[in-house]
Amino acid sequence: GAVVSQHPSRVICKSGTSVKIECRSLDFQATTMFWYRQFPKQSLMLMATSNEGSKATYEQGVEKDKFLINHASLTLSTLTVTSAHPEDSSFYICSASLQRAEDTQYFGPGTRLTVL
Amino acid sequence: DQQVKQNSPSLSVQEGRISILNCDYTNSMFDYFLWYKKYPAEGPTFLISISSIKDKNEDGRFTVFLNKSAKHLSLHIVPSQPGDSAVYFCAASSNTGKLIFGQGTTLQVKP
């Protein structure tokens, strides 16, 4: 089956630092990748959609300058949380679609970010 | 504006009985619905889906029912097993491919 990995699985950082999270599709090429965040006991909220080789499309209310997304290849997308603050602490999950955005999404295991 | 709602935050069921998880949506443009299962500190895993042209889809112990007029879908798990204990999210999408998730329902199946 389609496997998506994320690295790191957990990260603790100081306020003001930047953190990069990688999302990789291991056995397929993902034209489209999605980034979600989930607060405890809440729904997964879509942050942005990224297509390989083009700029990400951010959802309303998501700061594109704070959450930098790069989708440089068909198997790798990165999310960088810049100048992280405690309120950015959350569970970040990526997903990948095989070819088109409407294809089934395969999710990564998630990254738990804690900002002190 | 919660377009997809799971009004029951938790459900407890005895092993062997049926689990019924419910989901309501408001956007009539949604044409594809999915259920995901999620364990703590893991990403969601796809369970079953249904297109708006159908009203039922079955896969083993899992059946999803869609009532378009009521904008309601449900996931039936029968028989329920302790390993089914997890958080279940319903999600909906339109032709954009974006998934809108409900808040999740925590299912506990007691042995």
Side-chain angles (χ1 to χ4, degrees), chain A residues 88-102:
Chain A
D88 298 324
S89 299
S90 186
F91 193 55
Y92 292 86
I93 306 175
C94 72
S95 70
S97 292
L98 281 166
Q99 289 184 337
R100 304 165 301 173
E102 57 267 31

Side-chain angles (χ1 to χ4, degrees), chain A residues 5-116:
Chain A
S5 70
Q6 275 184 247
H7 178 79
S9 57
R10 299 189 68 172
V11 58
I12 300 172
C13 69
K14 293 182 179 179
S15 185
T17 60
S18 294
V19 174
K20 180 184 282 188
I21 303 170
E22 292 187 348
C23 176
R24 293 182 185 273
S25 55
L26 298 184
D27 51 1
F28 67 100
Q29 292 185 327
T31 304
T32 305
M33 287 186 170
F34 302 84
W35 285 95
Y36 296 83
R37 66 186 297 183
Q38 184 190 20
F39 293 105
K41 297 185 179 180
Q42 292 190 27
S43 176
L44 286 84
M45 299 297 294
L46 179 64
M47 298 174 66
T49 304
S50 75
N51 292 292
E52 185 265 339
S54 62
K55 290 185 178 180
T57 302
Y58 290 80
E59 294 300 301
Q60 192 173 13
V62 178
E63 300 175 58
K64 62 180 181 180
D65 293 329
K66 180 168 183 62
F67 298 99
L68 301 178
I69 292 173
N70 183 280
H71 193 162
S73 75
L74 286 172
T75 59
L76 174 64
S77 175
T78 60
L79 167 68
T80 301
V81 183
T82 62
S83 187
H85 290 283
E87 57 265 30
D88 298 324
S89 299
S90 186
F91 193 55
Y92 292 86
I93 306 175
C94 72
S95 70
S97 292
L98 281 166
Q99 289 184 337
R100 304 165 301 173
E102 57 267 31
D103 286 340
T104 299
Q105 293 183 32
Y106 298 92
F107 286 82
T111 297
R112 170 71 62 191
L113 171 64
T114 302
V115 185
L116 303 176

Side-chain angles (χ1 to χ4, degrees), chain B residues 36-49:
Chain B
Y36 285 85
K37 179 179 179 180
K38 185 181 181 300
Y39 294 111
E42 293 184 14
T45 55
F46 171 75
L47 266 181
I48 192 169
S49 63

